[in-house]
Amino acid sequence: PPPPLPAPAPAAPSTMCILCSGDPVEDDERNVYVNSFDVDLCNSFCKEPVWCLCQCTQVCSLCTQYNLRGKVLGGDWSQYICCQGYVFPNGVCCFRPGNMGEKDCPQFCMCLEACCCPGLAVSASRFVVMDRYQLTPDPWDNRLIRCNNCLQILACICYVAAIIEPGLRDLARLIDCIAQLFFYMLSGCMTAQTAHEINVRIARGETGVSPQAMDRAGGPVTAMPVKD
């Protein structure tokens, strides 16, 4: 009999990106925004390589997100709440943004946020900038983010399947490795994009929307950014 065919290799992230939709998220309040980022995620590394590389390096990511949030808040840590109120703004169980000690120890709480929830930390900083300057993401930004989400879900599914079928453990580890690499590259690009946008807007003298338009979870998030 002919030899068995080799198992197909996991789809490359670039292929998965093409298959992912670039359409905006349905019912997203940011769909009405008309402005665009100065640079998309695909080219953000070339604009801010230091920010991107620091975030991609796991040992530096905590300090990177701490500094990025400080930049977004203009150095005014009294404006800080956990994830800036974008995650469970009304609270769930013991997670209640604005009522978890942020006012007493905002910088320590930010370190915890960056350490325990690095993905949410970079997304929250990016959301603040998007709302402040009414920015809508590029279609390829949406594809990259959806591709990352699919990879993370696929890795979880493979690990669950490996519990049932131990022969899938190597495949689960491979996909998990790909998912982690993609996550750190994407978070690095998101960090670079956010930092670059702040620098560009400051250079143009733009301040963004009024504070009242961005108040979340009972806490302001609109302190003007600072440029390094």
Side-chain angles (χ1 to χ4, degrees):
L5 296 176
S14 58
T15 303
M16 292 186 66
C17 286
I18 295 175
L19 297 177
C20 292
S21 171
D23 295 337
V25 178
E26 294 183 6
D27 301 325
D28 187 354
E29 60 186 15
R30 298 180 185 85
N31 290 342
V32 299
Y33 294 166
V34 296
N35 299 323
S36 300
F37 280 99
D38 185 72
V39 62
D40 56 24
L41 288 176
C42 295
N43 297 296
S44 59
F45 171 79
C46 297
K47 296 292 185 178
E48 302 286 345
V50 175
W51 281 98
C52 186
L53 290 175
C54 286
Q55 174 60 23
C56 290
T57 306
Q58 190 170 9
V59 295
C60 299
S61 62
L62 189 154
C63 294
T64 303
Q65 288 311 309
Y66 174 87
N67 283 286
L68 180 64
R69 188 65 59 81
K71 186 180 183 72
V72 168
L73 298 178
D76 182 5
W77 286 100
S78 66
Q79 306 285 338
Y80 172 79
I81 59 175
C82 186
C83 297
Q84 297 308 130
Y86 285 95
V87 181
F88 299 120
N90 297 320
V92 58
C93 296
C94 60
F95 186 85
R96 299 185 178 278
N99 296 285
M100 299 189 296
E102 298 102 314
K103 298 304 178 183
D104 297 326
C105 305
Q107 292 164 300
F108 176 72
C109 290
M110 179 59 217
C111 289
L112 288 179
E113 178 187 327
C115 180
C116 300
C117 310
L120 296 179
V122 64
S123 293
S125 295
R126 185 170 181 262
F127 286 155
V128 172
V129 172
M130 289 176 68
D131 285 343
R132 177 182 293 146
Y133 300 114
Q134 299 187 336
L135 304 173
T136 184
D138 179 86
W140 269 101
D141 291 5
N142 291 330
R143 289 191 179 96
L144 289 169
I145 293 171
R146 287 190 171 110
C147 179
N148 172 72
N149 295 341
C150 289
L151 284 171
Q152 304 305 323
I153 294 172
L154 181 60
C156 291
I157 292 174
C158 287
Y159 271 120
V160 172
I163 296 175
I164 302 172
E165 176 51 61
L168 295 175
R169 289 176 180 172
D170 289 340
L171 178 62
R173 293 191 185 101
L174 174 60
I175 294 179
D176 182 58
C177 181
I178 294 173
Q180 292 300 318
L181 289 173
F182 194 87
F183 167 78
Y184 276 105
M185 288 189 293
L186 178 61
S187 64
C189 291
M190 291 176 70
T191 299
Q193 183 188 53
T194 303
H196 178 73
E197 192 67 31
I198 292 173
N199 292 339
V200 168
R201 298 287 174 168
I202 289 177
R204 295 175 183 172
E206 300 178 20
T207 58
V209 300
S210 63
Q212 291 78 10
M214 293 177 57
D215 184 46
R216 288 177 178 269
V221 293
T222 54
M224 289 299 101
V226 292
K227 185 174 182 179
D228 293 338

